[in-house]
Amino acid sequence: MGLAGAMHGKSLATAHLAWDNGDGVAVPDLARIPAGPGVDEGRTLSAIEDRLRTGRVGALYIEPIHGTSLGWEGTAGFYQDVRTLATRFATLLVYDEVLTGFHRTGERFRFLRHGIAPDVIVFGKACGNGFPVAGVAVRQDIALSPRMLLGSTFSNNPLAAAAVHATIDCLDSLDPEALVGRIESTVRRHLPDLVAGPAPRMRGSGAMWVIALDTPEQALASVQALRRAGVCVGFHGRQLRLLPPLTVRPDRLERACSAIADVLRGQLVAGG
Ligand SMILES: Cc1ncc(COP(=O)(O)O)c(C=O)c1O
């Protein structure tokens, strides 16, 4: 079971779990629960509970901040209720920290902000600082199936392990929470209008922000204008995504944020 709008990967199963990739292929036994901006948290919790009552749910997947769906994040109370439900129905709570993990939003993992402990964490990206590596951490008392094969093509790679070690050593020497806090305050200072109001255009935390424009055309025009200004921003549909590195030079971040503010002001005024 997953929440609509979360992104857990591009394989057939992970895509069907949460993120509608519109391919029209049905994958049985995966439940996608309505969630996100505009969906009441109570409604999402009831839908989760109804599904858990079937007794046929092995795991509930959570992406703590929806990196490809408007940067949505529920309240801490929502995740605490999710934790209670998963425990009550003996379902594993899996946190996908692939994007949020290793200090992207401040703490080492986002679940710490939610005040709960998942049963399983999936991580990748920042832990290798660019080296392709990912991992799964499982609560110690959960037995792994003895039928599981001993290895696979890319598992137990010593070079990947060395890259993760070196990255963690470097992170530990950097005071990542302070650096991420500085990134967040720079982003908020340059784009205050976007984070304001009950339906903000920009959602996120720390060094991870998603900005919603009105149309994909506006998003594309913004990205092109930003590129001309020397700023590279990722986008998907009508959303732009800001993922500055922890070590971004403060003057470069200032320059990028001020270009983003100028370009978006122009786009939003032009779009009415
Ligand atoms: C939250 C999240 N989970 C999982 C993945 C892994 O997806 P894939 O391995 O298909 O690239 C990503 C990749 O972007 C991600 O952002």
Side-chain angles (χ1 to χ4, degrees):
M1 178 163 58
L3 301 191
M7 211 291 269
H8 298 300
K10 292 126 206 150
S11 70
L12 189 68
T14 53
H16 278 259
L17 187 59
W19 201 50
D20 187 356
N21 60 9
D23 61 13
V25 180
V27 179
D29 291 333
L30 293 179
R32 192 190 292 152
I33 304 296
V39 182
D40 181 63
E41 286 184 354
R43 200 183 131 211
T44 302
L45 287 167
S46 307
I48 290 173
E49 183 167 352
D50 288 348
R51 191 79 191 190
L52 287 171
R53 280 188 191 287
T54 64
R56 288 180 33 80
V57 181
L60 166 57
Y61 280 73
I62 295 285
E63 184 188 11
I65 297 181
H66 285 187
T68 38
S69 296
L70 303 173
W72 179 79
E73 179 178 36
T75 60
F78 170 77
Y79 297 102
Q80 287 158 16
D81 288 347
V82 165
R83 173 68 273 184
T84 304
L85 284 172
T87 305
R88 175 139 62 96
F89 291 94
T91 294
L92 293 178
L93 180 60
V94 182
Y95 257 56
D96 179 343
E97 297 262 8
V98 168
L99 198 51
T100 46
F102 290 89
H103 301 287
R104 171 137 309 273
T105 70
E107 293 95 336
R108 181 158 283 178
F109 292 106
R110 192 66 183 175
F111 72 78
L112 297 168
R113 191 74 73 96
H114 296 168
I116 53 120
D119 301 305
V120 178
I121 309 168
V122 187
F123 56 89
K125 296 201 200 298
C127 69
N129 193 30
F131 191 92
V133 56
V136 182
V138 181
R139 231 182 49 212
Q140 219 163 9
D141 58 316
I142 296 175
L144 294 178
S145 164
R147 281 171 300 152
M148 193 181 264
L149 291 174
L150 285 178
S152 62
T153 311
F154 295 115
S155 69
N156 305 320
N157 180 313
L159 185 57
V164 174
H165 262 291
T167 304
I168 292 175
D169 284 349
C170 182
L171 282 171
D172 285 346
S173 72
L174 278 178
D175 194 358
E177 293 191 25
L179 290 172
V180 170
R182 204 167 64 196
I183 291 173
E184 172 159 347
S185 53
T186 305
V187 171
R188 285 183 179 278
R189 181 159 41 78
H190 282 275
L191 304 164
D193 304 346
L194 299 184
V195 274
R201 274 188 187 276
M202 182 168 87
R203 289 188 173 90
S205 181
M208 172 173 174
W209 296 92
V210 181
I211 303 172
L213 286 117
D214 294 326
T215 62
E217 291 72 25
Q218 267 189 354
L220 178 61
S222 306
V223 167
Q224 288 170 335
L226 283 168
R227 197 167 300 163
R228 286 193 292 278
V231 179
C232 195
V233 172
F235 79 111
H236 159 72
R238 65 185 183 94
Q239 302 171 55
L240 309 188
R241 196 164 68 178
L242 314 181
L243 292 170
L246 185 75
T247 49
V248 63
R249 254 175 43 191
D251 59 313
R252 291 197 174 147
L253 184 65
E254 294 280 347
R255 191 164 70 81
C257 286
S258 106
I260 292 167
D262 287 348
V263 165
L264 292 188
R265 205 171 296 124
Q267 277 299 321
L268 294 172
V269 167

